[in-house]
Amino acid sequence: MHSPDATLVRRLRDAGCVFAEEEAALLASAARDADELARLVGQRVAGAPLEQVVGWAEFCGLRITVAPGVFVPRRRTEVLVAEAVGHARPGALVVDLCCGTGAVAAALAAAVPGLDLHAADLDPAAVACARLNLPGTPVHEGDLFAALPAGLRGRVDVLTANVPYVPTAAIALLPPEAREHEPRAALDGGDDGLALARRVAAEAPEWLAPAGALLFECGEGQVAAALGLVTDAGLAARLVTDDDRGATVVVGIRP
């Protein structure tokens, strides 16, 4: 790859891109010609997430297609994947709710062979994107468990849910690239940030197989409440944290 043009790097840096040289190289490699490069750079300078501009994100060593307007997979969610892998086995029934691009499901499929995998999301744009990343995997459109085939009830070995957990009042504090370019439903977790997690935890026992695992992320300040709602649902709750990636993952196991 050629060294990125100094003018391009400077333009990105002036726009607030901390890793301007790396971004310039990625933008240049994604463009077929100078006109397309100018268009991509314009989108990035205007605040669009880099992953939406170049059309992909790296996640668990995979290149995940990211469509405009779809939630960008976060590197901290790799911690959730690593924990979920420990609960999966070849042939296990795995469901990825709030799947977005399908990054979590794709990473699990790459890590554990032969999974019986399903994914679901409420957002039609996310579902279309997930189907690109999960060829051959059923990706259902609908509201949480209502999207799933009834035949999965009581059989799910691993249930991951990339629920939004930003409290509504804190949405305004998010970086503009998230606030203005990702769907609000993928960010807004309600008054306390746990509205979706609460719904998932309450219904999860009906869908999990015996010893099945529920996994979702929460904010550092939400840990006690998140563990409590999992316990209230009758699941054995524990916490997994990764300070390096700023990840907090709640795990609930059905007895």
Side-chain angles (χ1 to χ4, degrees):
M1 185 182 296
H2 298 296
S3 298
D5 179 82
T7 303
L8 171 54
V9 172
R10 186 163 59 251
R11 188 178 174 200
L12 291 168
R13 188 168 288 124
D14 289 346
C17 300
V18 177
F19 303 105
E21 288 197 7
E22 291 89 337
E23 292 201 12
L26 286 170
L27 290 164
S29 67
R32 287 165 293 191
D33 53 39
D35 288 343
E36 185 173 26
L37 178 58
R39 181 176 61 80
L40 297 181
V41 172
Q43 291 174 356
R44 181 60 180 136
V45 168
L50 176 68
E51 296 85 356
Q52 290 182 3
V53 174
V54 300
W56 61 275
E58 184 183 343
F59 185 80
C60 290
L62 304 176
R63 182 176 284 209
I64 300 294
T65 296
V66 179
V70 174
F71 181 79
V72 176
R74 308 306 202 243
R75 296 300 289 269
R76 64 174 174 266
T77 305
E78 293 178 347
V79 177
L80 182 150
V81 171
E83 182 65 23
V85 166
H87 293 274
R89 66 185 188 284
L93 176 57
V94 175
V95 171
D96 182 23
L97 285 185
C98 306
C99 70
T101 59
V104 169
L108 288 171
V112 184
L115 293 177
D116 182 1
L117 190 62
H118 289 255
D121 201 285
L122 182 63
D123 179 17
V127 169
C129 188
R131 286 174 177 158
L132 295 176
N133 289 311
L134 298 168
T137 294
V139 181
H140 311 284
E141 183 181 328
D143 185 20
L144 299 180
F145 295 98
L148 301 178
L152 303 186
R153 191 183 300 267
R155 298 177 45 228
V156 179
D157 298 300
V158 179
L159 173 62
T160 60
N162 200 4
V163 293
Y165 56 88
V166 179
T168 301
I171 294 291
L173 306 177
L174 291 175
E177 62 182 49
R179 192 176 67 242
E180 298 174 6
H181 296 275
E182 294 181 310
R184 182 165 181 128
L187 303 169
D188 192 340
D191 288 347
D192 65 351
L194 294 174
L196 270 291
R198 189 172 289 109
R199 288 179 58 201
V200 170
E203 289 192 59
E206 300 175 31
W207 291 84
L208 290 173
L214 163 67
L215 304 97
F216 63 90
E217 293 177 85
C218 70
E220 191 175 331
Q222 300 166 328
V223 166
L227 290 172
L229 63 89
V230 170
T231 302
D232 289 347
L235 305 177
R238 65 184 182 85
L239 192 69
V240 177
T241 59
D242 185 314
D243 293 338
D244 290 340
R245 284 181 279 190
T248 303
V249 178
V250 174
V251 182
I253 305 295
R254 183 187 158 187

